[in-house]
Amino acid sequence: MDLESFFKDNGYCPNKYSKDIGEIQTFASTHYAQKNKIVLVTSGGTAIPLESQAVRYIENFSSGHRGAASAEYFLSEGYGVIFLYRQGSLRPYSRHFKAGNVLDLLTISKDCRNGTCSNVQVDATKMPDLATIVQAYHTSKDAGRLLEVSYHSLVDYIALLKASSEAMHLLGSSAVFYLAAAVSDFYIPLTHMQKHKIQSSSGPLELALHQVPKFLRALVTKWSPQAFVVTFKLETDEAILMDKALGALTKYGHQLVIANILHERRYRVVVVTKEEQKELLLSDDEQKEKKDIEQKLIRDICIRHTHYNKGTEV
Ligand code: 9Z3
C-alpha cells in the first residue's frame, strides 16, 4: 500500500497537526537562515489501536531513553533538535528525574506545612548534577535549539515524520534524521476495526494485522533526499542482526544503521555502514558510573555527518 492510501484509509486529518507542523517549519527555516545543522530525533514506541473508539492498543517496550539521551548529546554538539516523541515516553533533561520521585528533591519549612506556602525549596544535595541539567535545558530552550513535538499513534508518527522531513528538505546535507523510535511493523486499518469496544463474551480474539507501508524509502528519495539518515535495527537474535542491518542499508540506500540487541542496548551498539561495522561499548566502570552509551554514539555520528556535509571521507 502506498502512503497516500495509508493516510486516507486511517482517518488522517491534516488539521490535527497544523500547529505542530507550523512550529516545525518555522524551526527548520530559522535554523536554515542561521546556517545551523539540525537533527530530527524520533523516540518511543507507537500505539496501534484495536477499536476505532479505542479502548485497547498494541504497544511495545520502548522507554524513549535512547532518543531522549541522544537529543541531549546532539544539543551539546551544537545541533538544533526536533524531538518527535511518543506521549508519556522519556524527554531530554526531564529523563534524569524519572529514576526517583521528584517530590523527594523538594522541601518546605516546618511552619508552612498546614497552610498555603510558596516557599518550596530544592535540596540539590540529593541530586549532584541537578544544576548542570537545569542549566543545559534552559540554555537549549532559550537559544531556540530544542523543539519537542509529541505523537501517540502510528498514523500520527508517520504524518509528523513526513511533515518534518519535507520542512527539513531545504537544509540539504546539514539535516540529520536519527530514527530511534520503535515503530510497529503491523497495524489494523481503520476500515477493518470494530467501532465499539471488543467484547470478551465473544470468546478468544483473533486479529489480522496488516503491514505498515515502508516510509523510509520516501524519506530517502523524496522528502529529504540530501539528508544524513540514521536508522536503528533492533533484534533479539544476534545471529541475524548484522544481515538485517546491512539489508536495510542496501534496501534504502541511506547512510547509517545502528544495530542493537534488546537486552544489551544500554551498553553495546554497532555502527553499521556498507564498508564497516564499528562496535561501541561501555566498560564495566562506565556502566557503574551510569554513563550513557549515547554520548559515544552521538560523537561518532556527528563526526560522520561533518564529513558527509563537507563531502569528505570519514
Ligand atoms: C531502537 O532500536 C532503539 O535503540 C530502542 C531503544 C527502541 C531499542 P529505549 O527507547 O530503546 O531506549 O528503551 N529503535 C528502533 C527499533 C525499530 O523498530 N527498528 C526497526 C526494525 O528494527 C527499523 S526502523 O525493523
Side-chain angles (χ1 to χ4, degrees):
M1 179 192 274
D2 64 79
L3 270 175
E4 288 317 313
S5 318
F6 171 79
F7 284 135
K8 201 160 143 260
D9 290 359
N10 289 287
Y12 171 62
C13 169
N15 289 348
K16 182 175 167 192
Y17 309 99
S18 49
K19 181 172 169 285
D20 289 326
I21 293 174
E23 285 176 4
I24 291 167
Q25 288 168 339
T26 305
F27 189 90
S29 50
T30 305
H31 286 276
Y32 172 69
Q34 294 171 353
K35 297 192 170 31
N36 293 338
K37 293 185 272 192
I38 71 174
V39 57
L40 175 83
V41 175
T42 71
S43 188
T46 50
I48 306 297
L50 301 191
E51 301 112 342
S52 58
Q53 298 179 65
V55 173
R56 301 188 183 91
Y57 295 86
I58 299 177
E59 278 294 347
N60 67 36
F61 67 94
S62 172
S63 65
H65 178 277
R66 172 85 79 224
S70 302
E72 289 174 23
Y73 293 109
F74 274 118
L75 286 161
S76 67
E77 295 274 354
Y79 282 72
V81 174
I82 301 172
F83 185 68
L84 184 56
Y85 70 100
R86 164 66 197 272
Q87 276 162 25
S89 65
L90 296 177
R91 295 165 65 174
Y93 307 112
S94 68
R95 74 181 172 106
H96 298 276
F97 300 93
K98 291 289 160 77
N101 186 340
V102 76
L103 292 175
D104 289 332
L105 294 176
L106 305 179
T107 55
I108 52 173
S109 55
K110 285 210 171 69
D111 52 336
C112 284
R113 281 183 202 259
N114 297 324
T116 51
C117 177
S118 57
N119 189 17
V120 178
Q121 284 171 348
V122 178
D123 182 355
T125 58
K126 292 194 174 140
M127 194 171 168
D129 47 0
L130 180 64
T132 314
I133 294 163
V134 175
Q135 191 175 35
Y137 170 72
H138 286 295
T139 303
S140 302
K141 279 291 203 188
D142 295 350
R145 289 203 296 114
L146 174 61
L147 175 66
E148 297 181 88
V149 177
S150 69
Y151 66 85
H152 181 242
S153 70
L154 174 75
V155 185
D156 296 336
Y157 172 81
I158 299 181
L160 287 165
L161 175 66
K162 179 172 188 281
S164 308
S165 349
E166 288 171 342
M168 287 163 69
H169 188 134
L170 83 167
L171 282 113
S173 60
S174 298
V176 176
F177 288 84
Y178 180 88
L179 307 180
V183 182
S184 178
D185 287 324
F186 303 102
Y187 77 111
I188 303 176
L190 197 56
T191 42
H192 291 58
M193 275 181 208
Q194 286 200 19
K195 184 173 173 204
H196 293 290
K197 186 187 164 207
I198 298 167
Q199 296 299 313
S200 59
S201 52
S202 314
L205 178 61
E206 280 183 29
L207 293 173
L209 299 175
H210 293 229
Q211 263 194 301
V212 172
K214 297 289 177 200
F215 49 85
L216 191 54
R217 186 178 301 288
L219 193 162
V220 171
T221 58
K222 282 199 297 196
W223 302 340
S224 226
Q226 292 166 300
F228 187 80
V229 178
V230 183
T231 63
F232 282 75
K233 181 56 70 182
L234 172 74
E235 292 297 340
T236 51
D237 180 0
E238 181 81 51
I240 62 169
L241 182 63
M242 281 309 138
D243 280 354
K244 299 283 292 240
L246 285 163
L249 282 177
T250 309
K251 188 168 175 187
Y252 299 111
H254 61 299
Q255 285 67 43
L256 275 190
V257 173
I258 311 304
N260 54 174
I261 291 287
L262 182 64
H263 69 272
E264 296 178 347
R265 68 190 193 280
R266 296 279 173 261
Y267 58 86
R268 176 178 174 258
V269 294
V270 185
V271 180
V272 184
T273 67
K274 286 199 184 110
E275 294 75 34
E276 69 161 334
Q277 297 171 12
K278 180 175 170 187
E279 188 178 57
L280 302 179
L281 281 171
L282 286 185
S283 66
D284 290 347
D285 283 348
E286 287 171 325
Q287 288 178 53
K288 275 188 209 126
E289 288 165 29
K290 301 228 177 312
K291 294 260 190 240
D292 294 318
I293 184 97
E294 288 78 10
Q295 184 169 17
K296 295 184 186 200
L297 178 59
I298 302 311
R299 188 81 277 276
D300 186 277
I301 289 174
C302 290
I303 292 169
R304 291 172 194 272
H305 177 230
T306 302
H307 284 291
Y308 176 84
N309 203 11
K310 287 185 185 154
T312 55
E313 295 286 315
V314 180

